[in-house]
Amino acid sequence: MFVDRSDRVTPRAAFRAYGVAVTPGRDGPCALVAGHGCRNRLYTWRNGELVDSAPGAVANETGHAVGVAAGDLDADGREELYVHNTDSYEGETRDTDLLLDPVGDPADHPRGRWRDLFGRGINAGRDNFRAGRSVAVVDRYGTGRYGVVVASHGEPLRFYELGEDGELSDMAGEVGLDFVGRGRSLLAAPIVSDRTDLFVGVQNGPNRLFRNDDGHFTEVADEVGVDAPAVDARGTTLVDDALAVCSWEGPNALFVPDECDSSGGRVGARSSATDGGRAGFVDRTPAVFAEPSRVRTAVTTDFDNDGHDEVFVNTLGTANRLFRRHQTPDGPRLSALDLGPATEPDGLGTGAAVADFDGDGVRELLVVHGEVESQPVSLYAPADPGDRYLRVRPLTAAGAPARGAAVSLETDEWCRRRVVCGGSGYLCQMEPVAHFGLGDATPERVVVRWPDGRERVVTAPDPRTEHELSHPSR
């Protein structure tokens, strides 16, 4: 499936890395890689290479970063960067987190100047010293102002929102995200509502799923069938509308909405008369996918643009795995694929993300390593990608990525849904673009639903194109 392009990452050096998040930059997507006990990296595609160009505040030479995410907290059209630092397994940590706000010329974003909002006087005493893991962003009202969720490990979940005066407030208890436990992975997406819900993968389970009820959250994991107490959750990803929850040395699970038809498309939001939520999920885990491995993160995309999703499963100290999703009358089927060099049998994987770094309409795979010892990051590209794709980039009213927006594509052969990533995998966040491989299908209609419920429809969208869509209020 893949060819190794790691020689295009510069400087080529071994270091201890954990999560990776992708945010837009002046020259294309930038990948923020969490350095643990060393500098963070900010990789940007320049002159045919991924070059580290992290300014000092982003590099943070002495931090112990694990989870990272990007989102526009102040609705100025540029994404802030959240870096979760922890030097302990659970409880409290000596390192505090960073919330990096871009300042200066917007044309320099994100390689320009930054200030840490935790370091401002108005936020004295509000630092996060709770050891945690993943980070995600949620626009709970759909206003274009995002909050940051931090999955604490043995401590209460954090949910930071930024006031107009620059004051950071942990709103977790007030909005219903009052979970205490060993939170591992976070997935922010419309899962059981038409707003941005939050799935929390929990070590040794049960998992939590917080449904967004007009900006306040209600926990419904057991009710909808995704609590999965036997799964020691790590990587979590959406496979169209299905929820894949991968485990550390235990069986993985694939939960499919019982509202999906045999074509794999969404039948519709079947609402309950009492709570307005969708119907639940059923366990449709294929045996080949359930097989245990030492999973760290999981990523879903159509790497080769053939119209079928692939699920990449990144592991620690064992061979990575790749599955292709097919839809059958009996539900989804996953078949194993050969990764080629991306198998990495000796890789100490900690995170992975996808983005079209070089702008050719094909997503590359960036894999980071280093929990046990230092290793260089790896960059892979599909060996034989098709050239028919369609990419959709929804924006907020301020012009920032509309993370959490749901993008549905109808073709003459199938219907698929993608969610602009607010946080997924494990410790990671993908580029804020809905990417569709088309194969032989002809696109007929795109429907974008923003986190506030507003929609835009594009008929007969051009293939081989990235469509940037402004918010309906613009």
Side-chain angles (χ1 to χ4, degrees), residues 12 36 41 152 183 198 230 255 275 299 305 310 431:
R12 187 76 177 139
H36 195 74
R41 271 69 170 179
S152 298
L198 182 70
F255 299 102
D275 60 21
V299 177
N305 288 335
E310 286 85 42
E431 68 168 342

Side-chain angles (χ1 to χ4, degrees), residues 77-94:
R78 294 180 291 176
E79 293 198 310
E80 280 71 47
L81 302 177
Y82 194 100
V83 180
H84 176 56
N85 287 303
T86 179
D87 59 2
S88 61
Y89 176 73
E90 61 184 345
E92 294 191 357
T93 174
R94 291 174 296 177

Side-chain angles (χ1 to χ4, degrees), residues 39-325:
R39 63 179 281 121
N40 302 319
R41 271 69 170 179
L42 187 66
Y43 291 109
T44 304
W45 191 263
R46 284 190 289 173
N47 300 320
E49 295 182 322
L50 270 183
V51 180
D52 176 24
S53 55
V58 176
N60 189 31
E61 302 275 355
T62 60
H64 292 82
V66 286
V68 288
D72 187 4
L73 275 70
D74 54 8
D76 69 348
R78 294 180 291 176
E79 293 198 310
E80 280 71 47
L81 302 177
Y82 194 100
V83 180
H84 176 56
N85 287 303
T86 179
D87 59 2
S88 61
Y89 176 73
E90 61 184 345
E92 294 191 357
T93 174
R94 291 174 296 177
D95 287 354
T96 187
D97 294 349
L98 302 176
L99 178 54
L100 299 169
D101 180 37
V103 295
D105 188 347
D108 293 332
H109 184 67
R111 300 202 310 266
R113 295 185 296 115
W114 299 80
R115 60 175 178 173
D116 177 20
L117 297 184
F118 278 115
R120 297 189 64 197
I122 196 172
N123 292 318
R126 296 171 184 260
D127 310 80
N128 183 29
F129 288 98
R130 297 174 180 176
R133 299 297 184 270
S134 295
V135 182
V137 296
V138 173
D139 180 3
R140 61 188 176 102
Y141 285 121
T143 61
R145 296 182 71 96
Y146 288 81
V148 178
V149 185
V150 184
S152 298
H153 203 252
E155 295 286 337
L157 201 73
R158 292 281 205 187
F159 181 56
Y160 285 108
E161 290 187 326
L162 185 66
E164 293 287 352
D165 59 356
E167 182 179 32
L168 283 166
S169 299
D170 179 10
M171 301 292 292
E174 286 79 358
V175 303
L177 296 175
D178 48 356
F179 167 65
V180 180
R182 293 183 172 181
R184 284 283 186 170
S185 52
L186 296 173
L187 175 63
I191 301 171
V192 288
S193 80
D194 288 324
R195 299 296 182 97
T196 303
D197 307 310
L198 182 70
F199 178 85
V200 182
V202 179
Q203 181 174 338
N204 298 323
N207 302 313
R208 304 295 196 274
L209 175 57
F210 294 93
R211 185 185 63 218
N212 187 340
D213 297 326
D214 296 322
H216 192 276
F217 295 88
T218 304
E219 207 286 302
V220 296
D222 177 63
E223 175 185 336
V224 303
V226 296
D227 53 329
V231 176
D232 187 3
R234 291 299 190 275
T236 306
T237 182
L238 284 178
V239 187
D240 199 42
D241 280 342
L243 179 64
V245 184
C246 297
S247 181
W248 175 254
E249 298 184 328
N252 307 313
L254 183 67
F255 299 102
V256 177
D258 59 11
E259 64 193 24
C260 284
D261 64 11
S262 61
S263 69
R266 172 178 288 272
V267 173
R270 296 194 320 192
S271 297
S272 160
T274 58
D275 60 21
R278 292 198 179 102
F281 290 77
V282 291
D283 189 342
R284 290 287 185 267
T285 310
V288 67
F289 185 71
E291 182 182 339
S293 57
R294 306 179 74 192
V295 178
R296 302 305 282 179
T297 198
V299 177
T300 301
T301 195
D302 186 349
F303 285 106
D304 55 6
N305 288 335
D306 69 346
H308 297 283
D309 287 340
E310 286 85 42
V311 182
F312 173 74
V313 178
N314 177 225
T315 64
L316 176 66
T318 60
N320 296 328
R321 305 171 72 191
L322 185 69
F323 303 90
R324 176 165 291 151
R325 181 185 189 272

